[in-house]
Amino acid sequence: MTDARRPLYPEIAPYRVGRLRVSDLHELYFEECGNPEGKPVVILHGGPGGGISPFLRRSHDPARYRIVLFDQRGAGQSTPAGELRDNTTWDLVADIEALRLHLGIGRWQVVGGSWGSTLALCYALRHPARVTELILRGIFTLRQAELAWFYQQGAGMILPEAFARYLAPIPEAERHDLIAAYHRRLTGPAGPARRHAASAWAGWEGAALSLMPSPAREEEFEDPAFAESFARIECHYFHNRGWLDHDGWLIAQAHRLRAIPGVIIQGRYDLVTPADTALALHAAWPEAQLMIIPDAGHTGMEPGIQDAMVRASDAFALPGKPASRRAPSHLPGAARVHIGD
Ligand code: STX
């Protein structure tokens, strides 16, 4: 009950990497880590456009899981980098299925943070029979209010210095719709103006991820090579509202997930994807276990989020137990629900 917080599992290298062609244009990079005979899990990265990173391999026990990671279209080592054509939510959902079939996996656990949670929900709604469990953190459902909070008006009132740097490239006359203003610049011709807009867009996100300021993280996000594909892909998805049916569609559909065991992990002080969305998801899917981490921001690197991820993945991996049809009822320690604190 009072156990110390658990860190992620140790760093590991993939036992296999590969590439999968998914369209005339797009080829995906993927990795398999852990135990080739273990329980299959696919980890979905954020952004969209963020790409995988080595820490995403570490939320699951490598002795008991076969951990699959891939760079979504245009992200990371997938090619062409930053490509927006044939790049929609439903293309990515189809890619997850193509990868599952390519790897000969029947059903798998689906894990995602932030945009990864959005994509995991879309995949589970489209292919529920393929999903053994869902572990979601930093819940994002692409509602108009969520986009407005971060990219128009809301989070900027908590981080005004960083928000001023995000506003700077956009003239007053265009500031009534910042996603549209950025979309014009990020989909315009390559060159200094586009690069500058990309760094400003990505730097704003980098500034807001952690509970504690992390200038190094902000600099990483402003790095032109990363920023340009990340910002172009993110803005393209958000300008198009994720190609979802209507505003609020994911929450409205979430009742269809109720037979899937799930855990929802959310930082109380998440400025990128505020806790309101996690609570809305939980209200629609009350069987899922909600874990509000009282001292965490957005990123999966927050100590309380790491702890919750490891405990959730361990609970679903218990040796000798078949995948439960319900969320575990007794996640220990930090796995308790803290609502209203
Ligand atoms: N986007 C939130 C998100 O999914 C609104 C996200 N933000 N940064 C990331 O993901 C990375 C850390 C993966 C780059």
Side-chain angles (χ1 to χ4, degrees):
M1 199 93 41
T2 55
D3 304 6
R5 282 188 162 168
R6 294 184 52 190
L8 297 179
Y9 283 99
E11 287 188 32
I12 43 168
Y15 64 79
R16 176 177 170 231
V17 304
R19 303 189 67 84
L20 179 66
R21 178 157 287 284
V22 288
S23 79
D24 290 345
L25 200 51
H26 289 278
E27 192 177 279
L28 306 184
Y29 166 81
F30 67 87
E31 300 182 339
E32 292 184 81
C33 304
N35 180 351
E37 307 298 322
K39 178 179 164 113
V41 55
V42 62
I43 314 275
L44 305 176
H45 70 67
I52 58 177
S53 64
F55 101 92
L56 291 179
R57 301 172 187 152
R58 299 173 51 202
S59 57
H60 286 62
D61 181 353
R64 289 185 289 167
Y65 276 101
R66 174 183 178 185
I67 307 160
V68 178
L69 305 95
F70 72 99
D71 285 321
Q72 296 158 25
R73 293 188 183 202
Q77 298 180 66
S78 290
T79 52
E83 177 61 62
L84 304 183
R85 287 174 292 167
D86 302 336
N87 195 344
T88 73
T89 306
W90 301 107
D91 290 321
L92 303 187
V93 167
D95 292 349
I96 300 170
E97 271 302 84
L99 187 59
R100 184 184 64 74
L101 289 165
H102 179 71
L103 297 175
I105 291 169
R107 304 175 74 215
W108 50 5
Q109 184 179 106
V110 181
V111 175
S114 200
W115 160 258
S117 75
T118 324
L119 183 56
L121 290 168
C122 289
Y123 176 75
L125 287 168
R126 184 64 65 92
H127 302 285
R130 299 300 173 189
V131 181
T132 56
E133 302 95 10
L134 286 165
I135 300 178
L136 309 177
R137 77 156 182 84
I139 309 306
F140 179 52
T141 64
L142 244 152
R143 290 176 296 177
Q144 187 54 40
E146 296 169 55
L147 294 172
W149 159 265
F150 193 68
Y151 294 104
Q152 187 65 34
Q153 188 179 35
M157 297 188 76
I158 297 176
L159 297 172
E161 305 90 336
F163 198 70
R165 296 194 286 278
Y166 165 74
L167 285 177
I170 309 299
E172 294 279 356
E174 293 180 63
R175 287 186 186 174
H176 61 280
D177 188 345
L178 290 161
I179 290 179
Y182 266 101
H183 188 259
R184 285 189 283 277
R185 286 160 179 78
L186 292 170
T187 55
R194 191 168 104 176
R195 278 200 301 279
H196 181 59
S199 288
W201 173 280
W204 165 233
E205 196 140 334
L209 289 176
S210 310
L211 188 61
M212 290 299 159
S214 169
R217 160 77 54 65
E218 230 175 304
E219 270 172 40
E220 250 175 65
F221 273 64
E222 287 166 5
D223 170 71
F226 171 79
E228 199 158 7
S229 72
F230 173 71
R232 276 166 50 75
I233 293 171
E234 255 202 346
C235 192
H236 164 69
Y237 273 67
F238 298 163
H239 189 68
N240 288 287
R241 303 294 181 259
W243 299 271
L244 303 182
D245 220 54
H246 58 81
D247 190 25
W249 181 80
L250 268 172
I251 299 289
Q253 295 294 312
H255 66 94
R256 296 203 279 120
L257 303 169
R258 293 179 68 170
I260 301 178
V263 180
I264 299 168
I265 297 167
Q266 175 67 45
R268 170 66 69 198
Y269 293 102
D270 185 333
L271 297 184
V272 182
T273 59
D276 176 77
T277 306
L279 267 69
L281 178 63
H282 187 244
W285 178 24
E287 293 81 2
Q289 177 153 11
L290 176 64
M291 299 161 70
I292 301 282
I293 312 303
D295 58 350
H298 181 66
T299 153
M301 289 174 180
E302 302 278 88
I305 305 268
Q306 294 187 21
D307 175 80
M309 291 294 289
V310 165
R311 288 174 193 273
S313 71
D314 273 9
F316 287 134
L318 288 177
K321 282 208 175 175
S324 156
R325 296 301 301 163
R326 273 179 304 177
S329 56
H330 64 286
L331 290 174
R336 307 208 154 267
V337 183
H338 302 271
I339 298 178
D341 54 12

mmCIF file with all atom_site columns, all heavy atoms in Angstrom, residues 27-30 45 50-53 69-78:
data_model
loop_
_atom_site.group_PDB
_atom_site.id
_atom_site.type_symbol
_atom_site.label_atom_id
_atom_site.label_alt_id
_atom_site.label_comp_id
_atom_site.label_asym_id
_atom_site.label_entity_id
_atom_site.label_seq_id
_atom_site.pdbx_PDB_ins_code
_atom_site.Cartn_x
_atom_site.Cartn_y
_atom_site.Cartn_z
_atom_site.occupancy
_atom_site.B_iso_or_equiv
_atom_site.pdbx_formal_charge
_atom_site.auth_seq_id
_atom_site.auth_comp_id
_atom_site.auth_asym_id
_atom_site.auth_atom_id
_atom_site.pdbx_PDB_model_num
ATOM 1   N N   . GLU A 1 27 ? 6.130  3.727  -45.928 1.00 0.00 ? 27 GLU A N   1
ATOM 2   C CA  . GLU A 1 27 ? 6.766  2.542  -45.356 1.00 0.00 ? 27 GLU A CA  1
ATOM 3   C C   . GLU A 1 27 ? 6.997  2.806  -43.873 1.00 0.00 ? 27 GLU A C   1
ATOM 4   O O   . GLU A 1 27 ? 7.468  3.873  -43.487 1.00 0.00 ? 27 GLU A O   1
ATOM 5   C CB  . GLU A 1 27 ? 8.097  2.305  -46.071 1.00 0.00 ? 27 GLU A CB  1
ATOM 6   C CG  . GLU A 1 27 ? 8.713  0.956  -45.780 1.00 0.00 ? 27 GLU A CG  1
ATOM 7   C CD  . GLU A 1 27 ? 10.005 0.749  -46.581 1.00 0.00 ? 27 GLU A CD  1
ATOM 8   O OE1 . GLU A 1 27 ? 9.909  0.396  -47.773 1.00 0.00 ? 27 GLU A OE1 1
ATOM 9   O OE2 . GLU A 1 27 ? 11.091 0.947  -46.006 1.00 0.00 ? 27 GLU A OE2 1
ATOM 10  N N   . LEU A 1 28 ? 6.671  1.819  -43.040 1.00 0.00 ? 28 LEU A N   1
ATOM 11  C CA  . LEU A 1 28 ? 6.778  1.988  -41.590 1.00 0.00 ? 28 LEU A CA  1
ATOM 12  C C   . LEU A 1 28 ? 8.016  1.289  -41.045 1.00 0.00 ? 28 LEU A C   1
ATOM 13  O O   . LEU A 1 28 ? 8.380  0.212  -41.500 1.00 0.00 ? 28 LEU A O   1
ATOM 14  C CB  . LEU A 1 28 ? 5.554  1.379  -40.885 1.00 0.00 ? 28 LEU A CB  1
ATOM 15  C CG  . LEU A 1 28 ? 4.173  1.841  -41.327 1.00 0.00 ? 28 LEU A CG  1
ATOM 16  C CD1 . LEU A 1 28 ? 3.110  1.193  -40.432 1.00 0.00 ? 28 LEU A CD1 1
ATOM 17  C CD2 . LEU A 1 28 ? 4.049  3.360  -41.280 1.00 0.00 ? 28 LEU A CD2 1
ATOM 18  N N   . TYR A 1 29 ? 8.609  1.905  -40.035 1.00 0.00 ? 29 TYR A N   1
ATOM 19  C CA  . TYR A 1 29 ? 9.680  1.277  -39.262 1.00 0.00 ? 29 TYR A CA  1
ATOM 20  C C   . TYR A 1 29 ? 9.051  0.663  -38.023 1.00 0.00 ? 29 TYR A C   1
ATOM 21  O O   . TYR A 1 29 ? 8.238  1.302  -37.359 1.00 0.00 ? 29 TYR A O   1
ATOM 22  C CB  . TYR A 1 29 ? 10.712 2.339  -38.859 1.00 0.00 ? 29 TYR A CB  1
ATOM 23  C CG  . TYR A 1 29 ? 11.681 1.872  -37.795 1.00 0.00 ? 29 TYR A CG  1
ATOM 24  C CD1 . TYR A 1 29 ? 12.774 1.086  -38.142 1.00 0.00 ? 29 TYR A CD1 1
ATOM 25  C CD2 . TYR A 1 29 ? 11.495 2.201  -36.453 1.00 0.00 ? 29 TYR A CD2 1
ATOM 26  C CE1 . TYR A 1 29 ? 13.662 0.643  -37.159 1.00 0.00 ? 29 TYR A CE1 1
ATOM 27  C CE2 . TYR A 1 29 ? 12.377 1.767  -35.473 1.00 0.00 ? 29 TYR A CE2 1
ATOM 28  C CZ  . TYR A 1 29 ? 13.458 0.984  -35.834 1.00 0.00 ? 29 TYR A CZ  1
ATOM 29  O OH  . TYR A 1 29 ? 14.322 0.545  -34.871 1.00 0.00 ? 29 TYR A OH  1
ATOM 30  N N   . PHE A 1 30 ? 9.409  -0.593 -37.698 1.00 0.00 ? 30 PHE A N   1
ATOM 31  C CA  . PHE A 1 30 ? 8.904  -1.184 -36.453 1.00 0.00 ? 30 PHE A CA  1
ATOM 32  C C   . PHE A 1 30 ? 10.005 -1.909 -35.698 1.00 0.00 ? 30 PHE A C   1
ATOM 33  O O   . PHE A 1 30 ? 11.049 -2.250 -36.259 1.00 0.00 ? 30 PHE A O   1
ATOM 34  C CB  . PHE A 1 30 ? 7.711  -2.126 -36.713 1.00 0.00 ? 30 PHE A CB  1
ATOM 35  C CG  . PHE A 1 30 ? 8.048  -3.382 -37.474 1.00 0.00 ? 30 PHE A CG  1
ATOM 36  C CD1 . PHE A 1 30 ? 8.499  -4.524 -36.806 1.00 0.00 ? 30 PHE A CD1 1
ATOM 37  C CD2 . PHE A 1 30 ? 7.923  -3.431 -38.847 1.00 0.00 ? 30 PHE A CD2 1
ATOM 38  C CE1 . PHE A 1 30 ? 8.803  -5.687 -37.502 1.00 0.00 ? 30 PHE A CE1 1
ATOM 39  C CE2 . PHE A 1 30 ? 8.229  -4.590 -39.560 1.00 0.00 ? 30 PHE A CE2 1
ATOM 40  C CZ  . PHE A 1 30 ? 8.673  -5.718 -38.891 1.00 0.00 ? 30 PHE A CZ  1
ATOM 41  N N   . HIS A 1 45 ? 2.698  5.663  -30.217 1.00 0.00 ? 45 HIS A N   1
ATOM 42  C CA  . HIS A 1 45 ? 3.341  6.913  -29.794 1.00 0.00 ? 45 HIS A CA  1
ATOM 43  C C   . HIS A 1 45 ? 2.412  8.115  -29.969 1.00 0.00 ? 45 HIS A C   1
ATOM 44  O O   . HIS A 1 45 ? 1.357  8.035  -30.608 1.00 0.00 ? 45 HIS A O   1
ATOM 45  C CB  . HIS A 1 45 ? 4.685  7.110  -30.510 1.00 0.00 ? 45 HIS A CB  1
ATOM 46  C CG  . HIS A 1 45 ? 4.586  7.409  -31.982 1.00 0.00 ? 45 HIS A CG  1
ATOM 47  N ND1 . HIS A 1 45 ? 4.043  8.575  -32.479 1.00 0.00 ? 45 HIS A ND1 1
ATOM 48  C CD2 . HIS A 1 45 ? 5.006  6.710  -33.068 1.00 0.00 ? 45 HIS A CD2 1
ATOM 49  C CE1 . HIS A 1 45 ? 4.127  8.577  -33.796 1.00 0.00 ? 45 HIS A CE1 1
ATOM 50  N NE2 . HIS A 1 45 ? 4.700  7.443  -34.190 1.00 0.00 ? 45 HIS A NE2 1
ATOM 51  N N   . GLY A 1 50 ? 5.058  12.243 -33.386 1.00 0.00 ? 50 GLY A N   1
ATOM 52  C CA  . GLY A 1 50 ? 6.130  12.261 -32.382 1.00 0.00 ? 50 GLY A CA  1
ATOM 53  C C   . GLY A 1 50 ? 7.186  11.175 -32.571 1.00 0.00 ? 50 GLY A C   1
ATOM 54  O O   . GLY A 1 50 ? 8.333  11.356 -32.206 1.00 0.00 ? 50 GLY A O   1
ATOM 55  N N   . GLY A 1 51 ? 6.792  10.042 -33.107 1.00 0.00 ? 51 GLY A N   1
ATOM 56  C CA  . GLY A 1 51 ? 7.745  8.944  -33.285 1.00 0.00 ? 51 GLY A CA  1
ATOM 57  C C   . GLY A 1 51 ? 8.002  8.209  -31.972 1.00 0.00 ? 51 GLY A C   1
ATOM 58  O O   . GLY A 1 51 ? 7.739  8.726  -30.884 1.00 0.00 ? 51 GLY A O   1
ATOM 59  N N   . ILE A 1 52 ? 8.526  6.975  -32.085 1.00 0.00 ? 52 ILE A N   1
ATOM 60  C CA  . ILE A 1 52 ? 8.829  6.197  -30.884 1.00 0.00 ? 52 ILE A CA  1
ATOM 61  C C   . ILE A 1 52 ? 10.153 6.658  -30.291 1.00 0.00 ? 52 ILE A C   1
ATOM 62  O O   . ILE A 1 52 ? 10.947 7.323  -30.949 1.00 0.00 ? 52 ILE A O   1
ATOM 63  C CB  . ILE A 1 52 ? 8.864  4.673  -31.169 1.00 0.00 ? 52 ILE A CB  1
ATOM 64  C CG1 . ILE A 1 52 ? 9.883  4.317  -32.254 1.00 0.00 ? 52 ILE A CG1 1
ATOM 65  C CG2 . ILE A 1 52 ? 7.486  4.180  -31.530 1.00 0.00 ? 52 ILE A CG2 1
ATOM 66  C CD1 . ILE A 1 52 ? 10.002 2.819  -32.512 1.00 0.00 ? 52 ILE A CD1 1
ATOM 67  N N   . SER A 1 53 ? 10.354 6.324  -29.019 1.00 0.00 ? 53 SER A N   1
ATOM 68  C CA  . SER A 1 53 ? 11.650 6.593  -28.397 1.00 0.00 ? 53 SER A CA  1
ATOM 69  C C   . SER A 1 53 ? 11.936 5.441  -27.441 1.00 0.00 ? 53 SER A C   1
ATOM 70  O O   . SER A 1 53 ? 11.023 4.705  -27.044 1.00 0.00 ? 53 SER A O   1
ATOM 71  C CB  . SER A 1 53 ? 11.642 7.942  -27.686 1.00 0.00 ? 53 SER A CB  1
ATOM 72  O OG  . SER A 1 53 ? 10.731 7.910  -26.635 1.00 0.00 ? 53 SER A OG  1
ATOM 73  N N   . LEU A 1 69 ? 6.650  -1.910 -31.254 1.00 0.00 ? 69 LEU A N   1
ATOM 74  C CA  . LEU A 1 69 ? 6.560  -0.458 -31.398 1.00 0.00 ? 69 LEU A CA  1
ATOM 75  C C   . LEU A 1 69 ? 6.746  -0.112 -32.870 1.00 0.00 ? 69 LEU A C   1
ATOM 76  O O   . LEU A 1 69 ? 7.466  -0.813 -33.580 1.00 0.00 ? 69 LEU A O   1
ATOM 77  C CB  . LEU A 1 69 ? 7.646  0.256  -30.589 1.00 0.00 ? 69 LEU A CB  1
ATOM 78  C CG  . LEU A 1 69 ? 7.737  -0.051 -29.096 1.00 0.00 ? 69 LEU A CG  1
ATOM 79  C CD1 . LEU A 1 69 ? 8.772  -1.137 -28.838 1.00 0.00 ? 69 LEU A CD1 1
ATOM 80  C CD2 . LEU A 1 69 ? 8.104  1.201  -28.308 1.00 0.00 ? 69 LEU A CD2 1
ATOM 81  N N   . PHE A 1 70 ? 6.092  0.948  -33.324 1.00 0.00 ? 70 PHE A N   1
ATOM 82  C CA  . PHE A 1 70 ? 6.354  1.383  -34.701 1.00 0.00 ? 70 PHE A CA  1
ATOM 83  C C   . PHE A 1 70 ? 6.194  2.889  -34.806 1.00 0.00 ? 70 PHE A C   1
ATOM 84  O O   . PHE A 1 70 ? 5.496  3.516  -34.000 1.00 0.00 ? 70 PHE A O   1
ATOM 85  C CB  . PHE A 1 70 ? 5.441  0.663  -35.701 1.00 0.00 ? 70 PHE A CB  1
ATOM 86  C CG  . PHE A 1 70 ? 3.997  1.100  -35.648 1.00 0.00 ? 70 PHE A CG  1
ATOM 87  C CD1 . PHE A 1 70 ? 3.497  2.017  -36.568 1.00 0.00 ? 70 PHE A CD1 1
ATOM 88  C CD2 . PHE A 1 70 ? 3.132  0.615  -34.662 1.00 0.00 ? 70 PHE A CD2 1
ATOM 89  C CE1 . PHE A 1 70 ? 2.166  2.436  -36.517 1.00 0.00 ? 70 PHE A CE1 1
ATOM 90  C CE2 . PHE A 1 70 ? 1.805  1.031  -34.611 1.00 0.00 ? 70 PHE A CE2 1
ATOM 91  C CZ  . PHE A 1 70 ? 1.319  1.938  -35.535 1.00 0.00 ? 70 PHE A CZ  1
ATOM 92  N N   . ASP A 1 71 ? 6.869  3.449  -35.803 1.00 0.00 ? 71 ASP A N   1
ATOM 93  C CA  . ASP A 1 71 ? 6.700  4.867  -36.124 1.00 0.00 ? 71 ASP A CA  1
ATOM 94  C C   . ASP A 1 71 ? 5.522  5.011  -37.075 1.00 0.00 ? 71 ASP A C   1
ATOM 95  O O   . ASP A 1 71 ? 5.494  4.393  -38.147 1.00 0.00 ? 71 ASP A O   1
ATOM 96  C CB  . ASP A 1 71 ? 7.975  5.411  -36.791 1.00 0.00 ? 71 ASP A CB  1
ATOM 97  C CG  . ASP A 1 71 ? 9.114  5.630  -35.798 1.00 0.00 ? 71 ASP A CG  1
ATOM 98  O OD1 . ASP A 1 71 ? 8.839  6.076  -34.672 1.00 0.00 ? 71 ASP A OD1 1
ATOM 99  O OD2 . ASP A 1 71 ? 10.279 5.378  -36.172 1.00 0.00 ? 71 ASP A OD2 1
ATOM 100 N N   . GLN A 1 72 ? 4.538  5.821  -36.677 1.00 0.00 ? 72 GLN A N   1
ATOM 101 C CA  . GLN A 1 72 ? 3.362  6.047  -37.519 1.00 0.00 ? 72 GLN A CA  1
ATOM 102 C C   . GLN A 1 72 ? 3.762  6.789  -38.808 1.00 0.00 ? 72 GLN A C   1
ATOM 103 O O   . GLN A 1 72 ? 4.864  7.332  -38.890 1.00 0.00 ? 72 GLN A O   1
ATOM 104 C CB  . GLN A 1 72 ? 2.312  6.842  -36.717 1.00 0.00 ? 72 GLN A CB  1
ATOM 105 C CG  . GLN A 1 72 ? 1.791  6.055  -35.507 1.00 0.00 ? 72 GLN A CG  1
ATOM 106 C CD  . GLN A 1 72 ? 1.200  6.930  -34.413 1.00 0.00 ? 72 GLN A CD  1
ATOM 107 O OE1 . GLN A 1 72 ? 0.744  8.052  -34.667 1.00 0.00 ? 72 GLN A OE1 1
ATOM 108 N NE2 . GLN A 1 72 ? 1.204  6.424  -33.188 1.00 0.00 ? 72 GLN A NE2 1
ATOM 109 N N   . ARG A 1 73 ? 2.882  6.797  -39.785 1.00 0.00 ? 73 ARG A N   1
ATOM 110 C CA  . ARG A 1 73 ? 3.195  7.398  -41.093 1.00 0.00 ? 73 ARG A CA  1
ATOM 111 C C   . ARG A 1 73 ? 3.858  8.770  -40.952 1.00 0.00 ? 73 ARG A C   1
ATOM 112 O O   . ARG A 1 73 ? 3.345  9.642  -40.257 1.00 0.00 ? 73 ARG A O   1
ATOM 113 C CB  . ARG A 1 73 ? 1.931  7.533  -41.952 1.00 0.00 ? 73 ARG A CB  1
ATOM 114 C CG  . ARG A 1 73 ? 1.359  6.195  -42.358 1.00 0.00 ? 73 ARG A CG  1
ATOM 115 C CD  . ARG A 1 73 ? 0.224  6.324  -43.367 1.00 0.00 ? 73 ARG A CD  1
ATOM 116 N NE  . ARG A 1 73 ? -0.318 4.983  -43.638 1.00 0.00 ? 73 ARG A NE  1
ATOM 117 C CZ  . ARG A 1 73 ? -1.005 4.640  -44.727 1.00 0.00 ? 73 ARG A CZ  1
ATOM 118 N NH1 . ARG A 1 73 ? -1.269 5.545  -45.659 1.00 0.00 ? 73 ARG A NH1 1
ATOM 119 N NH2 . ARG A 1 73 ? -1.444 3.401  -44.881 1.00 0.00 ? 73 ARG A NH2 1
ATOM 120 N N   . GLY A 1 74 ? 4.982  8.919  -41.608 1.00 0.00 ? 74 GLY A N   1
ATOM 121 C CA  . GLY A 1 74 ? 5.684  10.202 -41.653 1.00 0.00 ? 74 GLY A CA  1
ATOM 122 C C   . GLY A 1 74 ? 6.518  10.514 -40.427 1.00 0.00 ? 74 GLY A C   1
ATOM 123 O O   . GLY A 1 74 ? 7.226  11.515 -40.406 1.00 0.00 ? 74 GLY A O   1
ATOM 124 N N   . ALA A 1 75 ? 6.448  9.669  -39.378 1.00 0.00 ? 75 ALA A N   1
ATOM 125 C CA  . ALA A 1 75 ? 7.127  9.972  -38.113 1.00 0.00 ? 75 ALA A CA  1
ATOM 126 C C   . ALA A 1 75 ? 8.385  9.119  -37.943 1.00 0.00 ? 75 ALA A C   1
ATOM 127 O O   . ALA A 1 75 ? 8.502  8.038  -38.531 1.00 0.00 ? 75 ALA A O   1
ATOM 128 C CB  . ALA A 1 75 ? 6.177  9.719  -36.945 1.00 0.00 ? 75 ALA A CB  1
ATOM 129 N N   . GLY A 1 76 ? 9.305  9.606  -37.127 1.00 0.00 ? 76 GLY A N   1
ATOM 130 C CA  . GLY A 1 76 ? 10.493 8.842  -36.750 1.00 0.00 ? 76 GLY A CA  1
ATOM 131 C C   . GLY A 1 76 ? 11.243 8.334  -37.971 1.00 0.00 ? 76 GLY A C   1
ATOM 132 O O   . GLY A 1 76 ? 11.611 9.098  -38.860 1.00 0.00 ? 76 GLY A O   1
ATOM 133 N N   . GLN A 1 77 ? 11.451 7.021  -37.989 1.00 0.00 ? 77 GLN A N   1
ATOM 134 C CA  . GLN A 1 77 ? 12.186 6.422  -39.110 1.00 0.00 ? 77 GLN A CA  1
ATOM 135 C C   . GLN A 1 77 ? 11.271 5.880  -40.203 1.00 0.00 ? 77 GLN A C   1
ATOM 136 O O   . GLN A 1 77 ? 11.732 5.183  -41.104 1.00 0.00 ? 77 GLN A O   1
ATOM 137 C CB  . GLN A 1 77 ? 13.088 5.297  -38.584 1.00 0.00 ? 77 GLN A CB  1
ATOM 138 C CG  . GLN A 1 77 ? 14.155 5.783  -37.603 1.00 0.00 ? 77 GLN A CG  1
ATOM 139 C CD  . GLN A 1 77 ? 15.017 4.626  -37.109 1.00 0.00 ? 77 GLN A CD  1
ATOM 140 O OE1 . GLN A 1 77 ? 15.755 4.006  -37.861 1.00 0.00 ? 77 GLN A OE1 1
ATOM 141 N NE2 . GLN A 1 77 ? 14.927 4.333  -35.821 1.00 0.00 ? 77 GLN A NE2 1
ATOM 142 N N   . SER A 1 78 ? 9.978  6.181  -40.128 1.00 0.00 ? 78 SER A N   1
ATOM 143 C CA  . SER A 1 78 ? 9.087  5.816  -41.234 1.00 0.00 ? 78 SER A CA  1
ATOM 144 C C   . SER A 1 78 ? 9.279  6.814  -42.364 1.00 0.00 ? 78 SER A C   1
ATOM 145 O O   . SER A 1 78 ? 9.657  7.960  -42.137 1.00 0.00 ? 78 SER A O   1
ATOM 146 C CB  . SER A 1 78 ? 7.631  5.773  -40.767 1.00 0.00 ? 78 SER A CB  1
ATOM 147 O OG  . SER A 1 78 ? 7.442  4.658  -39.909 1.00 0.00 ? 78 SER A OG  1
#
